[in-house]
C-alpha cells in the first residue's frame, strides 16, 4: 500500500478539495493552460463554447469548459516559481491522489500543461510580437534543489554549459537547465522561436531593469552572450523553470509559450500588448484543438 499522507502534508478543505486551488478531480481537464493573470484566464474562458466550472481562491482562478471540441482548464497562478510550486503540486494532487484515503492512486494521470505568458526578449532579432516556445528553461532560483530531481542527460549537459558561462561572475548563483515536453514543443511550438527561457527571481534587477537603483550589467551581458549547440537564451520571465521542474517530476507534459512584449536589447515595448497576447491565445487554442 502506498504511503499515507498526513493532514500536515496533504491539506484538504472541508469540501474535499485541495487546499489553495479548491479543485476536485472533476474540475480538471486533461489539457491545462496556465497564465499568470486572472484577467487573462477570464479572457480565455470567454472563448469557451461551454463553461463548466469557475472556481477562485486568492490569486488562483480556474475555469474549465469546452473550446470547440476540446475540453480545457485554464488557471491563473500569479507570478513566480513559489506560486508554481503550490499550483503544480496541488493540480497533480487533485488528479493523482485519493484525497479521502490520502494515498497515491494506483493509476497515474498525465496532463498536458501549456503556459500562455508574456516575456522580454534579450536579442534585437527576437522582436516585440514574436512567439517564443521554451525548449529549455534556465532556473535561477533554488527550487530544484529542494526536490530529488534527476537531471536528464541533455539537462546535465546544458546545465554544465550554463554554469561554466555564468561562473564568469561568481556573484550570481549557479543556474540549472530543465527540458520542455518534446511532443508539445513539436506540435504547439511549431513555427515559434525556440530557445532557452531564463526564469528570473524578480521583475526588476533580476531581469536587468533599473529605475532609481543601479543594477549590475554583468547579468544581462551573460544572458545575451550565451550560445551553445545552436541554443541561445532568448527571453526572460518568471514561471517556466518551475513548471518544467514539477511537470517532469510528476509525470506531466509541459510547454511554455510566450509573446515578446519588451525587447530589452533595443529598449522597445509593444504598442498593443492586449492584441499580441490575444494572438498568442488564439494560436495556442487552435493548435490544441487539432493536436
Amino acid at each position: 500500500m502506498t504511503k499515507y499522507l498526513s493532514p500536515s502534508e496533504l491539506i484538504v478543505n472541508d469540501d474535499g478539495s485541495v487546499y489553495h486551488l479548491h479543485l476536485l478531480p472533476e474540475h480538471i481537464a486533461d489539457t491545462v493552460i496556465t497564465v499568470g493573470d486572472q484577467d487573462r484566464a477570464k479572457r480565455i474562458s470567454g472563448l469557451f463554447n461551454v463553461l463548466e466550472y469557475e472556481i477562485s481562491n486568492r490569486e488562483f482562478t480556474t475555469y474549465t469548459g469546452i473550446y470547440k471540441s476540446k475540453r480545457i482548464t485554464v488557471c491563473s497562478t500569479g507570478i513566480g516559481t513559489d506560486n508554481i510550486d503550490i499550483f503544480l503540486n496541488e493540480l497533480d494532487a487533485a488528479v493523482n491522489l485519493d484525497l479521502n484515503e490520502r494515498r497515491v492512486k494506483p493509476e497515474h494521470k498525465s496532463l498536458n500543461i501549456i503556459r500562455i505568458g508574456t516575456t522580454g526578449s534579450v536579442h534585437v532579432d527576437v522582436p516585440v510580437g514574436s512567439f517564443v516556445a521554451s525548449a529549455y528553461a534556465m532556473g535561477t532560483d533554488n527550487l530544484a534543489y529542494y526536490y530529488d530531481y534527476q537531471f536528464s542527460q541533455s539537462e546535465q549537459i546544458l546545465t554544465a554549459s550554463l554554469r561554466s558561462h555564468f561562473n564568469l561572475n561568481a556573484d550570481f548563483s549557479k543556474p540549472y537547465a530543465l527540458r520542455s515536453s518534446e511532443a508539445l514543443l513539436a506540435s504547439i511550438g511549431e513555427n515559434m522561436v525556440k530557445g532557452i527561457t531564463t526564469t528570473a527571481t524578480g521583475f526588476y534587477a533580476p531581469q536587468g531593469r533599473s529605475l532609481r537603483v543601479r543594477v549590475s550589467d554583468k547579468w544581462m551581458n551573460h544572458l545575451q552572450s550565451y550560445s551553445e549547440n545552436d541554443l541561445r537564451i532568448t527571453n526572460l520571465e518568471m514561471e517556466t523553470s518551475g513548471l518544467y521542474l514539477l511537470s517532469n517530476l510528476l509525470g506531466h507534459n509541459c510547454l511554455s509559450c510566450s509573446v515578446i512584449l519588451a525587447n530589452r536589447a533595443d529598449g522597445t515595448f509593444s504598442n498593443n500588448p492586449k492584441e499580441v497576447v490575444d494572438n498568442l491565445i488564439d494560436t495556442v487554442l487552435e493548435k490544441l484543438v487539432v493536436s
Side-chain angles (χ1 to χ4, degrees):
M1 184 175 288
T2 58
K3 171 187 172 185
Y4 173 81
L5 298 167
S6 72
S8 66
E9 287 181 280
L10 173 62
I11 305 171
V12 179
N13 298 313
D14 290 342
D15 64 356
S17 64
V18 290
Y19 186 48
H20 295 91
L21 303 187
H22 283 221
L23 296 181
L24 293 164
E26 58 265 30
H27 297 149
I28 303 167
D30 292 348
T31 297
V32 178
I33 293 172
T34 74
V35 297
D37 183 1
Q38 291 174 320
D39 287 342
R40 192 175 304 147
K42 186 175 182 179
R43 278 158 60 189
I44 294 172
S45 74
L47 300 173
F48 291 171
N49 303 97
V50 177
L51 180 62
E52 299 176 1
Y53 299 107
E54 177 183 348
I55 299 154
S56 185
N57 182 52
R58 301 189 187 186
E59 61 266 65
F60 304 105
T61 299
T62 302
Y63 302 90
T64 295
I66 308 296
Y67 177 77
K68 296 185 177 179
S69 60
K70 191 82 169 182
R71 188 170 189 252
I72 294 173
T73 293
V74 56
C75 303
S76 66
T77 65
I79 298 173
T81 56
D82 49 350
N83 276 15
I84 296 299
D85 184 60
I86 294 170
F87 166 75
L88 240 165
N89 273 292
E90 293 194 7
L91 183 73
D92 178 79
V95 298
N96 284 315
L97 299 182
D98 184 319
L99 300 178
N100 293 318
E101 296 293 327
R102 297 181 169 275
R103 298 185 191 278
V104 178
K105 292 179 179 178
E107 294 186 7
H108 176 265
K109 184 172 187 176
S110 181
L111 303 172
N112 289 328
I113 301 168
I114 298 94
R115 175 183 181 269
I116 296 180
T118 58
T119 190
S121 169
V122 300
H123 297 288
V124 171
D125 64 346
V126 185
V128 166
S130 301
F131 295 167
V132 175
S134 307
Y136 287 89
M138 182 178 80
T140 61
D141 59 1
N142 293 317
L143 183 61
Y145 304 127
Y146 288 94
Y147 289 93
D148 184 15
Y149 184 75
Q150 303 300 311
F151 289 87
S152 70
Q153 184 177 14
S154 67
E155 289 171 335
Q156 290 178 44
I157 292 170
L158 185 54
T159 293
S161 174
L162 289 166
R163 287 182 177 178
S164 175
H165 181 77
F166 283 88
N167 275 346
L168 294 171
N169 179 7
D171 293 335
F172 293 111
S173 61
K174 293 182 178 180
Y176 52 87
L178 300 157
R179 189 75 169 90
S180 69
S181 160
E182 293 188 22
L184 290 179
L185 184 66
S187 59
I188 307 302
E190 186 182 13
N191 299 323
M192 296 184 185
V193 176
K194 298 176 181 65
I196 303 167
T197 292
T198 296
T199 297
T201 56
F203 186 76
Y204 288 95
Q207 296 191 41
R209 286 187 173 90
S210 175
L211 300 182
R212 291 203 321 115
V213 179
R214 181 179 174 83
V215 303
S216 171
D217 59 2
K218 295 178 181 178
W219 178 239
M220 187 62 70
N221 290 340
H222 287 348
L223 294 173
Q224 292 171 329
S225 62
Y226 180 81
S227 179
E228 186 77 19
N229 295 328
D230 297 325
L231 271 177
R232 61 178 179 163
I233 295 167
T234 48
N235 60 306
L236 288 151
E237 52 76 76
M238 296 180 64
E239 288 83 41
T240 298
S241 67
L243 286 167
Y244 285 6
L245 169 70
L246 287 161
S247 292
N248 291 343
L249 277 169
L250 294 167
H252 303 295
N253 307 304
C254 188
L255 180 68
S256 178
C257 298
S258 307
V259 62
I260 303 292
L261 291 189
N263 188 297
R264 308 305 310 290
D266 64 17
T268 57
F269 191 83
S270 174
N271 292 324
N272 196 336
K274 182 181 183 302
E275 180 180 342
V276 294
V277 171
D278 285 346
N279 289 342
L280 178 60
I281 290 169
D282 291 341
T283 297
V284 171
L285 286 174
E286 290 307 311
K287 289 186 176 188
L288 286 172
V289 169
V290 300
S291 64

